[in-house]
Amino acid sequence: MAAKSYSNPIVKWIEYRLPIFSFLDHELNEYPTPKNLNYWWNFGSLAGIVLVIMIATGIVLAMSYTPHVDYAFESVERIMRDVNYGWLLRYIHMNGGSMFFIIVYIHLFRGMYYGSYKAPRELLWIIGVVILLAMMATAFMGYVLPWGQMSFWAATVITNLFSAVPLIGESIVTWLWGGFSVDNPTLNRFFSLHYLLPFVIFALVFVHLWALHVHKSNNPTGVDIMGPQDTIPFHPYYTIKDMFGLGVFMIVFMFFVFFAPNFFGEPDNYIKADPLVTPTHIVPEWYFLPYYAILRAITFNIWFIPAKLIGVVAMFGSILILLLLPWLDRSKVRSATFRPVYKQVFWVFVVDCFILGWVGANTPDAEFHGLKMLWIGQAATFYYFFHIIILIPLISVLETPKPLPDSISQAVTPGGAS
Amino acid sequence: MTRTRKRLALALAVALAAGLGAGAATASEGAELPKQHWSFDGLFGTYDRAAAQRGFMVYNTVCAACHGLSLVAYRNLAGVGFKDDEIKAIAAAKEVQDGPNDQGEMFARPGRPSDRFAKPFANDNAARAANNGALPPDLSLITKARKGSADYLYALLTGYKDAPADMKMMEGMNYNAVFPGNQIAMVAPLAEGAVEYADGTKPTVPQMARDVATFLTWAAEPEMEERKRMGVKVLLFLIVLTAMLYALKRQIWKDLH
């Protein structure tokens, strides 16, 4: 980082004491980025922007929201009806949650396809998984706040999962609730934590970016950056590309906000929470459906371990196992472009995740052409873990990768490197 | 390279569509609801003011005896085109409990435009006691709280039929073709000529069902017209902006490789 000289005396004064201008210049302006990133690399910055949108709308919504079982539902309706543009803020926040997960899931699959989790980016990947977990906790607690029927019953079902913990399970649940059922203390603490966690995510994102900027972005070839001929400065090339991607994303996002604001929601959540009336069909938000399917797939005890405990472990395990991905995959080749076998099973895995989501949206007894949903869910759950624990390590050892390009520029320039 | 990229994009788009389709499929379980044509459908939909006002009349004369509309205030009726003096008259016809006054007494007074719709029962227990144990739900959000929204409401209100001979009806329950389980506590609320429309429209059961479904959709989403109007502007702006950003991106990237 060559020390730049600034002509503005104020900038100079600050820069001498806190080199923030050269830092920004280095990390956002001249920051060398592989020249061959495709549009799948847009989703990282998009996720960051959606996080900011969520925090901004959330802070304003909190000004008019009342975290009390008697008033929460009505206060949300007050936001919808009486607060100036309250409906707009709430619909942005509500659909923003769904958009955030769509973006992050694409971001995650992109990392899996192009091997972005491999050395030296293991920590970058692990921080990403931790961000996903924090997002899920935030989203779950946020969904409870409007205090509709699904809010209440989803909270009841999910917190009850902890009762599967041997010996101390029941005590943990009572401690989480702050009482003997989901009630006012639960709503209060969920509101508090829902406000806190996004700032934790923000800090995690900062660390995620820090780790990213050490070894720079991976790229579609998966080949390391060899020198300046392989990179272009972040600004203006990727700032404009990200801006264009943001434009496309905003068109989709705003379509839902203005024309189908309740598309991702459940009608039951417009009924005020009633502890005495259980909805016929309790479903979580769509982004949790695959995990819900995994949880419900385990209907059998193994030895003395009860099915419920195994289900809970499998559900949390389905995400935690991603932490091990950098070590389960032993192939030195990052990009699936050069891994003919892995590339095929990657898509099978993506389809498997969608099947899990579809199973999660249905009751276990429902049938699909004579097949019980439960069986489909069990098969899909088996494949999920089989893919990560068995297929990925096995393929990474047995597969013969295609020859890699010598460098990024050789891959993108028809005539080879300059 | 580009072919793989395109295939990747296509596969993900298909997968995403399949996922969303699955979500939509789960939303449509239960009885088939015939899709009605509504004035508020589509990107430019608005509430048919005359239908909504007739619907208010149906609500006010029929539904309001048992069903509250607690999230809506009389002043909000301006949203379906009622004039200020009409709203004052509608509100004043209701008795509202207020207080305590400076003697510490609660008292009744005529409603004002700023009051929320008067509740038919003092509390849920009173409502159940008057309705054979069933609780008539508040209708403020009913179209948002039911799969099928206005279509469901229309189908429900026109769905009262004689129970099939082999069906055992529970005491005090009525057969309805679209209600989950087909046994509903509510007696068929609409009968030909239940209200007299000021505009001369013939008050048939399907007509009243359509009108009240329009009114209650407005009650649930009073912001819809403003939302859609703003949405059209926002999307047009974003499409132009994004096209310009794309042109700029092409321009900036032109000299690379």
Side-chain angles (χ1 to χ4, degrees):
Chain A
M1 191 194 318
K4 266 195 172 174
S5 68
Y6 294 91
S7 51
N8 184 317
I10 299 173
V11 171
K12 220 172 184 164
W13 189 91
I14 296 173
E15 175 72 18
Y16 183 67
R17 284 148 183 88
L18 176 74
I20 188 166
F21 294 101
S22 56
F23 173 80
L24 289 177
D25 192 51
H26 186 67
E27 300 300 334
L28 294 175
N29 186 15
E30 62 185 32
Y31 175 67
T33 315
K35 63 203 303 191
N36 60 335
L37 299 189
N38 58 33
Y39 277 101
W40 296 112
W41 262 263
N42 275 54
F43 291 87
S45 73
L46 276 182
I49 293 166
V50 175
L51 175 64
V52 172
I53 293 175
M54 293 303 279
I55 291 178
T57 51
I59 288 173
V60 186
L61 286 170
M63 293 175 187
S64 302
Y65 170 76
T66 311
H68 188 287
V69 291
D70 291 340
Y71 306 109
F73 187 84
E74 283 79 5
S75 77
V76 170
E77 277 307 311
R78 205 174 172 81
I79 291 170
M80 293 297 290
R81 289 157 192 268
D82 294 336
V83 172
N84 290 332
Y85 297 106
W87 57 267
L88 180 58
L89 290 166
R90 173 163 180 256
Y91 278 157
I92 290 175
H93 198 75
M94 203 171 112
N95 286 282
S98 285
M99 294 298 140
F100 205 175
F101 275 96
I102 292 175
I103 287 169
V104 164
Y105 284 152
I106 294 176
H107 188 60
L108 196 148
F109 279 126
R110 192 270 287 148
M112 289 184 82
Y113 185 86
Y114 291 110
S116 301
Y117 49 83
K118 292 185 191 183
R121 297 186 183 84
E122 301 96 322
L123 264 181
L124 175 61
W125 170 261
I126 288 171
I127 296 160
V129 175
V130 175
I131 292 174
L132 176 65
L133 287 169
M135 269 178 68
M136 293 169 76
T138 312
F140 162 65
M141 288 189 279
Y143 191 55
V144 176
L145 301 185
W147 208 243
Q149 273 289 68
M150 277 305 165
S151 299
F152 180 86
W153 289 99
T156 303
V157 170
I158 301 299
T159 48
N160 255 317
L161 293 179
F162 291 89
S163 69
V165 177
L167 302 174
I168 52 168
E170 295 294 335
S171 310
I172 292 178
V173 175
T174 309
W175 175 72
L176 286 174
W177 285 341
F180 298 100
S181 66
V182 173
D183 208 333
N184 204 44
T186 327
L187 179 59
N188 270 279
R189 62 189 57 189
F190 278 18
F191 178 54
S192 171
L193 293 173
H194 182 72
Y195 207 123
L196 167 73
L197 278 177
F199 298 97
V200 174
I201 294 175
F202 201 86
L204 286 168
V205 167
F206 186 82
V207 183
H208 192 65
L209 282 173
W210 185 3
L212 171 72
H213 281 221
V214 175
H215 291 286
K216 316 282 185 278
S217 291
N218 182 26
N219 67 84
T221 67
V223 175
D224 282 328
I225 297 170
M226 306 287 189
Q229 73 282 2
D230 289 340
T231 65
I232 44 179
F234 190 81
H235 183 74
Y237 295 106
Y238 285 107
T239 37
I240 185 62
K241 196 174 176 183
D242 281 351
M243 286 294 285
F244 167 59
L246 176 65
V248 174
F249 164 69
M250 286 303 276
I251 291 173
V252 177
F253 183 10
M254 289 302 126
F255 173 80
F256 282 108
V257 166
F258 287 104
F259 297 106
N262 294 300
F263 178 82
F264 295 103
E266 276 293 317
D268 270 10
N269 227 27
Y270 282 107
I271 304 169
K272 190 177 174 173
D274 186 346
L276 300 177
V277 181
T278 317
T280 43
H281 189 186
I282 302 175
V283 278
E285 285 274 81
W286 70 266
Y287 38 79
F288 291 139
L289 291 174
Y291 315 108
Y292 196 47
I294 292 174
L295 171 76
R296 294 190 303 181
I298 314 296
T299 48
F300 42 85
N301 303 344
I302 299 180
W303 298 318
F304 57 91
I305 311 170
K308 186 176 174 187
L309 178 59
I310 306 169
V312 171
V313 170
M315 184 180 76
F316 286 111
S318 67
I319 298 167
L320 294 176
I321 200 154
L322 295 174
L323 295 169
L324 299 177
L325 206 52
W327 296 278
L328 287 169
D329 186 347
R330 313 198 64 83
S331 171
K332 292 276 176 262
V333 177
R334 293 197 188 97
S335 173
T337 313
F338 305 103
R339 302 185 57 192
V341 184
Y342 174 72
K343 188 186 193 165
Q344 307 294 329
V345 295
F346 168 83
W347 288 111
V348 177
F349 181 71
V350 173
V351 171
D352 187 59
C353 291
F354 276 99
I355 292 175
L356 281 170
W358 167 63
V359 170
N362 286 283
T363 53
D365 298 332
E367 288 193 1
F368 178 73
H369 294 296
L371 274 176
K372 268 178 79 174
M373 275 294 164
L374 175 66
W375 302 340
I376 303 175
Q378 285 173 337
T381 302
F382 172 78
Y383 183 79
Y384 184 95
F385 288 101
F386 178 74
H387 177 92
I388 295 177
I389 301 172
I390 310 287
L391 278 184
I392 286 186
L394 216 57
I395 292 171
S396 69
V397 177
L398 298 178
E399 173 185 55
T400 315
K402 290 194 217 163
L404 291 176
D406 292 333
S407 73
I408 294 173
S409 17
Q410 193 226 23
V412 270
T413 329
S418 52
Chain B
M1 189 63 218
T2 35
R3 248 187 53 210
T4 346
R5 225 183 279 173
K6 269 185 194 143
R7 258 177 42 202
L8 198 78
L10 188 75
L12 216 94
V14 169
L16 199 71
L20 295 181
T26 55
S28 66
E29 63 198 340
E32 280 302 307
L33 300 172
K35 179 85 195 82
Q36 305 290 326
H37 181 76
W38 301 101
S39 63
F40 44 85
D41 285 342
L43 265 55
F44 301 95
T46 53
Y47 293 115
D48 177 342
R49 296 292 191 278
Q53 291 190 18
R54 287 195 301 270
F56 165 73
M57 194 157 184
V58 176
Y59 167 78
N60 203 31
T61 336
V62 183
C63 320
C66 299
H67 294 278
L69 202 64
S70 60
L71 299 172
V72 183
Y74 294 111
R75 65 182 163 82
N76 296 136
L77 287 172
V80 287
F82 281 107
K83 307 269 181 301
D84 283 354
D85 50 339
E86 290 172 317
I87 293 171
K88 274 187 191 142
I90 290 166
K94 305 284 171 184
E95 195 170 81
V96 175
Q97 200 191 39
D98 203 345
N101 62 15
D102 40 15
Q103 261 75 53
E105 309 283 333
M106 301 302 280
F107 60 93
R109 61 161 173 78
R112 298 186 200 117
S114 58
D115 288 322
R116 299 290 181 94
F117 271 55
K119 289 180 180 168
F121 300 104
N123 51 56
D124 286 357
N125 289 5
R128 283 188 192 279
N131 288 284
N132 196 21
L135 179 67
D138 189 276
L139 298 181
S140 311
L141 285 166
I142 201 74
T143 58
K144 281 169 111 176
R146 295 291 182 274
K147 284 166 184 164
S149 303
D151 290 334
Y152 170 79
L153 218 57
Y154 178 82
L156 181 88
L157 291 173
T158 55
Y160 284 90
K161 295 188 171 65
D162 291 329
D166 57 341
M167 187 159 174
K168 199 172 165 343
M169 298 296 292
M170 284 185 287
E171 174 142 5
M173 298 300 254
N174 306 280
Y175 183 82
N176 189 293
V178 295
F179 191 73
N182 298 114
Q183 307 209 28
I184 185 168
M186 176 168 70
V187 182
L190 299 175
E192 182 108 11
V195 296
E196 201 175 315
Y197 281 140
D199 62 3
T201 307
K202 198 166 180 297
T204 60
V205 171
Q207 179 68 43
M208 287 185 286
R210 277 196 73 81
D211 291 345
V212 81
T214 303
F215 172 70
L216 289 174
T217 304
W218 166 80
E221 301 185 87
E223 88 297 342
M224 187 213 70
E225 290 185 358
E226 187 191 8
R227 169 158 60 76
K228 288 183 175 174
R229 269 200 309 273
M230 191 189 284
V232 170
K233 286 183 223 159
V234 167
L235 283 193
L236 284 176
F237 169 80
L238 281 173
I239 289 166
V240 173
L241 176 75
T242 306
M244 280 162 48
L245 287 171
Y246 182 65
L248 196 57
K249 192 252 164 194
R250 296 268 306 219
Q251 176 69 24
I252 289 173
W253 280 68
K254 194 175 56 177
D255 298 332
L256 280 182
H257 5 284

